[in-house]
Amino acid sequence: MGTLLPQAWDIGPMLLPHISWGEKLFRPLVVYGFLLVAFRFSGKRELGQATLFDFLILLLISNVVQNAMIGEDNSIGGSFAGVAVLLTLSWALNKITARSPRLRKLLEGSPTLLVHNGLVIEKAMRKESVAINDLLTAFREQGIASVSEVRFAVLELDGKISIIRTDAPTPISHEDCVIEEIRLQAPQ
């Protein structure tokens, strides 16, 4: 009875990277950094409402950068090292941005005020590429029939639109609900 494995089955090349460990760990860092900058400047709205086109772009981008991240290596150990680098980097950036508002704003941006006391801020809408139909959809989802019912509409970092109605209780301090970075954007 024969065995399923060849006599001289060498699992070393399958487990260990074919390129240096330094290169294996450096490649994902460079690709992650590039994608972080690229997505940071593509706009919040692009992240919040993924259309079919956006989904296809993300799939294609992942395929395009795959070779840049793995190089000439398809080993199991090398892939584990790449995943470990990406997860560690993500964990570290989450910790750092949680402690540093300045770095958080640099890396993630800040929420954008779209409506203030029933008035649509056209300049902010254009800057963030938010269509009026998207804003009206957010109103309808909250049961709002008119912009006059809106005290604040805020484009959040994740691309969603948060709405605070005019009949909502007035915040006692600037730390309540509407954070200072949004309040500073309000037209005077």
Side-chain angles (χ1 to χ4, degrees):
M1 206 165 150
T3 65
L4 295 175
L5 299 176
Q7 293 290 345
W9 197 44
D10 183 14
I11 63 170
M14 180 175 68
L15 294 178
L16 299 175
H18 308 298
I19 59 177
S20 74
W21 282 105
E23 182 179 345
K24 195 67 197 169
L25 300 176
F26 183 69
R27 283 174 169 269
L29 287 173
V30 171
V31 171
Y32 186 95
F34 172 77
L35 290 175
L36 178 68
V37 170
F39 283 115
R40 167 66 176 91
F41 292 107
S42 69
K44 292 185 280 273
R45 199 65 185 148
E46 301 304 317
L47 299 175
Q49 288 193 333
T51 65
L52 175 60
F53 306 118
D54 299 326
F55 180 69
L56 289 174
I57 290 294
L58 287 174
L59 285 176
L60 293 172
I61 287 173
S62 67
N63 192 41
V64 168
V65 300
Q66 175 189 358
N67 290 337
M69 286 194 3
I70 66 170
E72 298 293 321
D73 179 48
N74 289 318
S75 68
I76 293 171
S79 67
F80 288 173
V83 168
V85 166
L86 293 174
L87 292 175
T88 302
L89 187 58
S90 180
W91 173 83
L93 286 174
N94 284 330
K95 288 287 188 186
I96 291 168
T97 56
R99 292 187 180 134
S100 171
R102 193 176 303 163
L103 191 57
R104 179 177 181 255
K105 186 174 182 178
L106 174 71
L107 293 175
E108 296 179 5
S110 59
T112 303
L113 187 64
L114 301 176
V115 176
H116 181 255
N117 291 331
L119 298 173
V120 175
I121 304 171
E122 296 290 337
K123 183 178 179 183
M125 297 276 291
R126 279 190 306 277
K127 178 182 174 243
E128 296 293 348
S129 301
V130 177
I132 192 69
N133 289 338
D134 293 335
L135 186 62
L136 296 176
T137 298
F139 291 170
R140 287 189 299 273
E141 288 173 347
Q142 297 297 315
I144 295 172
S146 170
V147 71
S148 64
E149 297 178 54
V150 177
R151 181 180 297 151
F152 299 108
V154 178
L155 179 62
E156 301 292 353
L157 296 177
D158 64 0
K160 295 178 184 166
I161 298 174
S162 298
I163 297 171
I164 300 171
R165 301 172 66 99
T166 54
D167 58 0
T170 303
I172 296 170
S173 70
H174 70 277
E175 288 88 14
D176 290 345
C177 195
V178 183
I179 54 178
E180 191 65 21
E181 59 190 334
I182 297 301
R183 190 176 298 279
L184 292 174
Q185 295 177 33
Q188 303 303 328

